[in-house]
């Protein structure tokens, strides 16, 4: 009999700490519903004390999700724990995840606390959390650089105080598999009460070993892995959920554990998170990259055609890759549109929102006769479907571009309801277009990233553009999709500006 491996997804908390990846409440709800559909055991829905918006999002997720445990992060202090407890109160199954840093560098330089004070705070936090919730997780931040004996001491104290899960994070992505596995094994052997709790691992990817380290910890006895969709997360990201899950499943001959994940939901989850956060998935990314199951070389193709297993160790369908599916067209009605969205996990709450989304769908169907799931996902990722968030709105755009001539753009935006015009030249049509937007918006932001992807194949495919802007240390991603990539670029830029205006600053729990 295999043991159960708990999949703890932290896309909505650690993943959201990536620059520009912050999500609105509606976006978080969509991701949470997809995670539930995928049968993730625990969804870390956010850090309740970060902002009223985060609190609200966790609460809505706790109300909506029934089949996964909903968790909030809390620093080891009373205010955070009370806030987390309040946010997860409506959950069918809730968890409070409290943490404190335990490495000498973090205790001295960040917390300015002595080791004794840190143990005291951890115990008090776990005890308080247990007053609200039976399911409490304790993490020792920067466990990777913490003294081993001190880790044993604090974990023993946290278990005695009532923690049911003990998480060992490689916060800075410093470990290597042999060392990380050994540390997990030694902790489980040494800490009194270790057999009463679930041991968990949480690895960052700074040296590209987050998944390998997580799997080494599983081999050594960890029974929970903390991970994110597409490996999203601070800096180089966290362990990628899809890689951990598929490694355990594909190498069932090696791992003594199994997960309850519905793997066919992996690719939809990957696309949803990428679309919402504006973090594209590299084509050669394991499991969810566009090339992960493509065979370019003639030799491989020949082998795969003769016998699939010559070069393939997994089935593309098992992780949710399907042929581009023609789903809707120009004659599809509102109900067909709404129910296809529901099948994709996109629930539209208000009539007004549905009307707006449907008229955008009709516009797209006029330009592009075959509408695929990917088109719908891109359409719905475009934040302009949420009317209250539109400070800037694209009214019209005219771009002149000719060989030998300087490209010129004329832009009309609606700014809080009143129309404004801007003209600009540029080194290319996109450059001219962005400059024309800035003539109107005057945002003083810096463009950090501009990328274009085609959503489906064919020359009538929609181009999906990501724009990353920074202002005063804040970073946001904007996305736009259209069959005309200049229009998609303008939409992405405007979407990023709207995010700069509408998304409030958040507190990072670890800083
Ligand atoms: O990386 C880390 O240490 C964390 C903790 C808050 C668990 O994200
Ligand atoms: Zn982390």
């Amino acid at each position: 009999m295999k043991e159960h491996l708990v999949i703890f997804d932290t896309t909505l908390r650690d993943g959201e700490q990536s620059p520009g990846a912050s999500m609105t409440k509606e976006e978080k709800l969509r991701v949470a519903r997809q995670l539930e559909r995928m049968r993730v055991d625990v969804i870390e829905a956010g850090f309740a004390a970060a902002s009223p918006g985060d609190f609200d999002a966790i609460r809505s997720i706790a109300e909506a999700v029934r089949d996964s445990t909903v968790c909030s992060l809390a620093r080891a202090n009373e205010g955070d724990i009370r806030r987390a407890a309040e946010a997860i109160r409506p959950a069918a199954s809730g968890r409070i995840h409290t943490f404190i840093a335990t490495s000498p560098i973090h205790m001295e330089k960040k917390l300015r606390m002595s080791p004794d004070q840190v143990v005291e705070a951890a115990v008090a936090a776990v005890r308080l959390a247990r007053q609200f919730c039976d399911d409490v997780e304790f993490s020792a931040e920067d466990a990777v650089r913490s003294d081993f004996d001190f880790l044993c001491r604090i974990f023993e104290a946290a278990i005695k105080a009532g923690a049911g899960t003990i998480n060992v994070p490689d916060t800075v992505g410093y470990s290597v598999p042999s060392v990380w596995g050994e540390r997990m094994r030694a902790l489980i052997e040494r800490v009194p009460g270790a057999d009463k709790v679930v041991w968990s691992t949480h690895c960052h990817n700074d040296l590209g070993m987050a998944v390998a380290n997580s799997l080494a910890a599983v081999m050594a006895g960890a029974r929970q892995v903390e991970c994110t969709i597409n490996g999203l997360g601070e800096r180089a990201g966290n362990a990628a959920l899809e890689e951990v899950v598929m490694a355990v499943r594909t190498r069932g001959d090696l791992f003594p554990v199994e997960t309850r994940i519905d793997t066919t939901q992996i690719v939809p989850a990957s696309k949803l998170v990428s679309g919402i956060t504006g973090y594209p998935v590299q084509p050669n990314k394991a499991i969810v990259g566009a090339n992960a199951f493509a065979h370019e070389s003639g030799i491989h193709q020949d082998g795969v055609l003769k016998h699939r297993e010559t070069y393939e160790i997994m089935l593309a369908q098992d992780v949710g890759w399907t042929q581009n599916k023609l789903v809707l067209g120009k004659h599809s009605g509102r109900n067909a549109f709404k129910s296809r969205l529901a099948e994709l996990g996109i629930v539209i709450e208000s009539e007004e929102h549905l009307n707006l989304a449907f008229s955008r769908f009709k516009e797209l169907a006029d330009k592009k006769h075959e509408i695929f799931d990917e088109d719908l996902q891109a359409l719905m990722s475009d934040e302009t479907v949420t009317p209250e968030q539109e400070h800037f709105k694209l009214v019209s755009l005219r771009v002149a571009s000719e060989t030998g001539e300087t490209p010129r753009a004329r832009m009309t935006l609606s700014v809080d309801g009143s129309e404004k015009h801007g003209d600009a030249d540029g080194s290319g049509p996109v450059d001219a277009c962005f400059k024309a937007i800035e003539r109107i918006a005057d945002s003083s932001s810096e463009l950090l990233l501009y990328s274009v992807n085609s959503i489906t194949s064919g020359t009538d495919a929609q181009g999906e553009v990501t724009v990353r802007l920074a202002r005063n240390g804040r970073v946001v991603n904007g996305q736009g999709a259209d069959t005309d990539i200049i229009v998609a670029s303008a939409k992405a830029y405007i979407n990023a500006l709207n995010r700069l205006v509408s998304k409030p600053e958040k507190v990072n729990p670890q800083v």
Side-chain angles (χ1 to χ4, degrees), residues 360 364 367 374-375 377-379 382 453 455 462-465 479-485 487-489 491-492:
R360 286 162 40 74
L364 178 64
K367 289 190 258 174
E374 289 83 348
D375 292 314
Q377 260 150 350
L379 186 87
D382 192 334
N453 277 308
I455 294 178
Q462 289 195 85
E464 184 176 51
V465 175
Q479 286 216 311
D482 201 279
T483 47
D484 178 331
I485 59 160
V487 176
S489 304
K491 284 182 178 172

Side-chain angles (χ1 to χ4, degrees), residues 118-299:
V118 167
V119 175
E120 210 176 294
V123 168
V126 173
R127 278 207 188 116
L128 180 63
R130 275 303 304 264
Q131 289 181 16
F132 300 106
C133 187
D134 288 343
D135 186 352
V136 172
E137 171 171 336
F138 172 72
S139 287
E141 190 191 11
D142 206 16
V144 69
R145 292 184 295 175
S146 300
D147 172 69
F148 182 73
D149 290 336
F150 183 62
L151 269 188
C152 291
R153 178 179 161 206
I154 200 163
F155 286 153
E156 179 182 357
I159 294 170
K160 280 200 184 122
T165 301
I166 295 292
N167 183 38
V168 191
D170 179 359
T171 304
V172 289
Y174 182 64
S175 205
V176 298
S178 54
V179 174
W180 198 239
E182 203 30 58
R183 176 151 278 218
M184 184 58 77
R185 193 184 317 281
L187 283 168
I188 296 174
E189 258 166 37
R190 177 90 80 82
V191 174
D195 55 327
K196 294 185 188 62
V197 296
V198 173
W199 288 85
S200 168
T201 186
H202 174 116
C203 298
H204 281 266
N205 203 32
D206 299 64
L207 291 173
M209 285 184 276
V211 170
N213 289 336
S214 303
L215 294 174
V218 170
M219 286 295 199
R223 290 295 175 263
Q224 173 174 289
V225 173
E226 302 200 351
C227 43
T228 58
I229 303 292
N230 300 335
L232 191 69
E234 293 253 33
R235 307 180 307 278
N238 289 60
L241 178 146
E242 60 279 4
E243 295 178 23
V244 170
V245 167
M246 290 313 290
V248 164
R249 178 177 147 140
T250 309
R251 298 310 311 266
D253 56 328
L254 299 177
F255 290 97
V257 292
E258 60 194 2
T259 73
R260 61 165 206 160
I261 296 293
D262 175 356
T263 58
T264 62
Q265 294 298 329
I266 285 178
V267 168
S270 161
K271 290 190 172 170
L272 181 65
V273 169
S274 162
I276 285 176
T277 58
Y279 270 71
V281 175
Q282 76 194 55
N284 57 330
K285 161 89 178 59
I287 320 289
V288 293
N291 291 352
F293 292 86
H295 297 277
E296 187 65 38
S297 97
I299 297 174

Side-chain angles (χ1 to χ4, degrees), residues 223-507:
R223 290 295 175 263
Q224 173 174 289
V225 173
E226 302 200 351
C227 43
T228 58
I229 303 292
N230 300 335
L232 191 69
E234 293 253 33
R235 307 180 307 278
N238 289 60
L241 178 146
E242 60 279 4
E243 295 178 23
V244 170
V245 167
M246 290 313 290
V248 164
R249 178 177 147 140
T250 309
R251 298 310 311 266
D253 56 328
L254 299 177
F255 290 97
V257 292
E258 60 194 2
T259 73
R260 61 165 206 160
I261 296 293
D262 175 356
T263 58
T264 62
Q265 294 298 329
I266 285 178
V267 168
S270 161
K271 290 190 172 170
L272 181 65
V273 169
S274 162
I276 285 176
T277 58
Y279 270 71
V281 175
Q282 76 194 55
N284 57 330
K285 161 89 178 59
I287 320 289
V288 293
N291 291 352
F293 292 86
H295 297 277
E296 187 65 38
S297 97
I299 297 174
H300 286 205
Q301 280 182 3
D302 182 54
V304 169
L305 288 177
K306 283 182 182 139
H307 189 75
R308 190 188 59 79
E309 284 167 14
T310 45
Y311 287 99
E312 273 187 13
I313 57 165
M314 294 169 279
L315 283 176
Q317 306 86 282
D318 286 354
V319 296
W321 284 106
T322 48
Q323 292 289 326
N324 280 349
K325 226 178 8 180
L326 173 63
V327 284
L328 296 173
K330 174 182 171 125
H331 301 296
S332 308
R334 253 167 70 101
N335 278 344
F337 173 68
K338 192 177 170 189
S339 54
R340 187 61 205 155
L341 289 182
E343 279 164 31
L344 291 172
I346 304 171
V347 181
I348 300 190
E349 315 280 354
S350 75
E351 268 310 283
E352 186 198 7
H353 194 167
L354 176 64
N355 290 343
L356 205 73
F358 187 62
S359 71
R360 286 162 40 74
F361 159 73
K362 283 289 182 185
E363 268 170 40
L364 178 64
D366 271 339
K367 289 190 258 174
K368 184 175 189 293
H369 301 297
E370 300 175 326
I371 308 284
F372 300 101
D373 282 345
E374 289 83 348
D375 292 314
L376 291 181
Q377 260 150 350
L379 186 87
M380 299 309 295
S381 295
D382 192 334
E383 231 188 13
T384 53
V385 291
T386 315
E388 64 273 19
Q389 285 156 353
E390 286 194 288
H391 176 65
F392 299 105
K393 190 170 178 220
L394 176 64
V395 176
S396 66
L397 161 63
R398 191 169 160 182
V399 181
S401 173
E402 196 181 332
T403 34
E405 296 293 327
T406 305
R408 186 158 184 79
R410 179 168 180 73
M411 179 76 64
T412 305
L413 296 186
S414 148
V415 183
D416 285 335
S418 59
E419 285 197 5
K420 303 241 156 72
H421 307 281
D423 294 273
D425 290 345
S427 56
V430 173
D431 187 44
C433 184
F434 288 1
K435 284 182 175 143
I437 296 174
E438 275 303 331
R439 290 260 150 89
I440 303 168
D442 194 17
S443 74
S444 318
S445 58
E446 186 193 348
L447 178 68
L448 299 184
L449 176 121
Y450 169 73
S451 87
V452 189
N453 277 308
S454 132
I455 294 178
T456 53
S457 52
T459 49
D460 73 340
Q462 289 195 85
E464 184 176 51
V465 175
T466 301
V467 162
R468 185 171 300 156
L469 297 179
R471 184 172 68 187
N472 303 331
R474 247 186 99 208
V475 182
V476 291
N477 289 330
Q479 286 216 311
D482 201 279
T483 47
D484 178 331
I485 59 160
I486 310 296
V487 176
S489 304
K491 284 182 178 172
Y493 198 98
I494 292 165
N495 183 230
L497 287 178
N498 280 328
R499 285 175 183 247
L500 265 187
V501 175
S502 70
K503 289 210 167 166
E505 199 75 74
K506 290 189 189 186
V507 179

